[in-house]
Amino acid sequence: MTAPTTDPAAIRVALVDDQQLVRAGFAMVIGSQPDMEVVLEAGDGAQAVRLLGSHRADVVLMDVRMPTMDGLAATAEVTGGGDGEGPRVIILTTFDVDEYVLKAIKAGASGFLLKDAPPEEMLAAIRTVHAGDAVIAPSSTKRLIGHLAQVLPETEKAPPAVLDALTDREREVLVLMARGRSNTEIAGELYVAEATVKTHVGRVLAKLGARDRVQAVVLAYETGLVTPGS
C-alpha cells in the first residue's frame, strides 16, 4: 500500500485484481502522482465489496475475472447498479472477454481500460472518470466497443426504438461521441459552442437513461446507429 497523500482533494483509488504483481505495478504508478492515492487493494470482488463498505474510494480499477466474486457482480454491488451512488468503476480488461465487458458497463461501470495500456493512459482514465466524464482512450474504447457489439447476442442488444426520443441533432452528437470525439471536438465539427454540445450530451444521456458517455456509446452500437469501422 502506498503512503497516503496529505492532499485532501486527492483522488482515492481502489485496486481490485487477483494478481498481486498487477496491483503492485498499478499502485506504484498511482502512488507517484501528487493528486492520487491508493486507499485499498483487494484480491477478489467479495473482498472489494467488503472493504469499500468501510473505505471511501472515488475510482475503482476492477479486474473482470476473479475468484469468489467476479468483476461484474462486484461492480453492480459497489456502484448500486449504476444509479449514481458509490465510486466510479473502471473495468480492467483484455480483448478476449467479449460481451462480459458490456455487461459490466451496464452493471454500472463508467468505462474500461486495457491491462496493457501505458501508465499515462491509465492515469488519464482515472482523472477523466473522477471528473465525471467517461471518454477513456477514445481509439481503444471505440475499437473494443465495436468488437463487443458484434459478438453480443441479439437478444441482449437494445432495440433501435430506444433512439426514437432523440432529435436529429442529438443523434448526430451521439454518433460523434461513439467515434471518440470530445465535447471540444464535437463543437468544432458541428460549428457550435462547446456549452451547446454539453447541453446536447446531457439530453442524450437523460433520454437514453445512460449513466455516462460510455453507456450511451454502447447503445449507439447496439442499436446499429454506429457500426464498427464506420
Side-chain angles (χ1 to χ4, degrees), residues 152-205:
L152 189 69
E154 288 296 327
T155 55
E156 296 185 21
K157 291 185 179 180
V162 302
L163 302 180
D164 288 350
L166 301 182
T167 64
D168 289 343
R169 175 58 66 144
E170 288 164 356
R171 283 174 178 256
E172 199 172 4
V173 168
L174 179 55
V175 168
L176 292 173
M177 289 165 58
R179 290 175 179 162
R181 305 291 197 274
S182 66
N183 286 351
T184 301
E185 291 168 336
I186 294 173
E189 292 198 32
L190 298 182
Y191 301 101
V192 297
E194 187 170 348
T196 301
V197 174
K198 289 181 180 179
T199 298
H200 286 314
V201 170
R203 288 174 179 167
V204 168
L205 298 185

Side-chain angles (χ1 to χ4, degrees), residues 12-223:
R12 297 170 173 84
V13 182
L15 302 177
V16 185
D17 194 297
D18 60 342
Q19 298 181 53
Q20 187 173 355
L21 283 176
V22 171
R23 297 200 310 271
F26 285 164
M28 184 181 303
V29 173
I30 293 168
S32 70
Q33 303 300 299
D35 62 336
M36 298 182 189
E37 66 172 315
V38 175
V39 293
L40 69 89
E41 297 180 27
D44 61 63
Q47 183 183 25
V49 171
R50 185 169 66 253
L51 291 175
L52 285 166
S54 57
H55 293 73
R56 178 189 163 195
D58 301 309
V59 177
V60 180
L61 297 184
M62 180 84 72
D63 189 22
V64 174
R65 292 171 175 165
M66 295 180 292
T68 311
M69 178 186 285
D70 61 33
L72 177 61
T75 294
E77 286 278 346
V78 303
T79 65
D83 61 6
E85 299 297 323
R88 292 189 174 270
V89 173
I90 298 173
I91 295 293
L92 298 172
T93 186
T94 58
F95 275 106
D96 65 349
V97 296
D98 296 334
E99 72 273 10
Y100 201 58
V101 177
L102 283 184
K103 292 179 180 178
I105 291 173
K106 289 181 176 181
S110 292
F112 45 81
L113 185 72
L114 297 178
K115 276 194 171 185
D116 59 357
E120 59 270 18
E121 193 170 298
M122 177 187 69
L123 296 172
I126 293 171
R127 293 186 177 102
T128 300
V129 166
H130 180 252
D133 207 342
V135 179
I136 303 171
S139 60
S140 296
T141 300
K142 183 174 68 171
R143 190 166 68 249
L144 185 51
I145 288 181
H147 166 67
L148 298 177
Q150 288 181 304
V151 300
L152 189 69
E154 288 296 327
T155 55
E156 296 185 21
K157 291 185 179 180
V162 302
L163 302 180
D164 288 350
L166 301 182
T167 64
D168 289 343
R169 175 58 66 144
E170 288 164 356
R171 283 174 178 256
E172 199 172 4
V173 168
L174 179 55
V175 168
L176 292 173
M177 289 165 58
R179 290 175 179 162
R181 305 291 197 274
S182 66
N183 286 351
T184 301
E185 291 168 336
I186 294 173
E189 292 198 32
L190 298 182
Y191 301 101
V192 297
E194 187 170 348
T196 301
V197 174
K198 289 181 180 179
T199 298
H200 286 314
V201 170
R203 288 174 179 167
V204 168
L205 298 185
K207 289 181 178 181
L208 296 181
R211 184 189 191 199
D212 50 39
R213 294 169 81 112
V214 166
Q215 289 187 335
V217 169
V218 167
L219 283 172
Y221 276 97
E222 287 185 356
T223 57

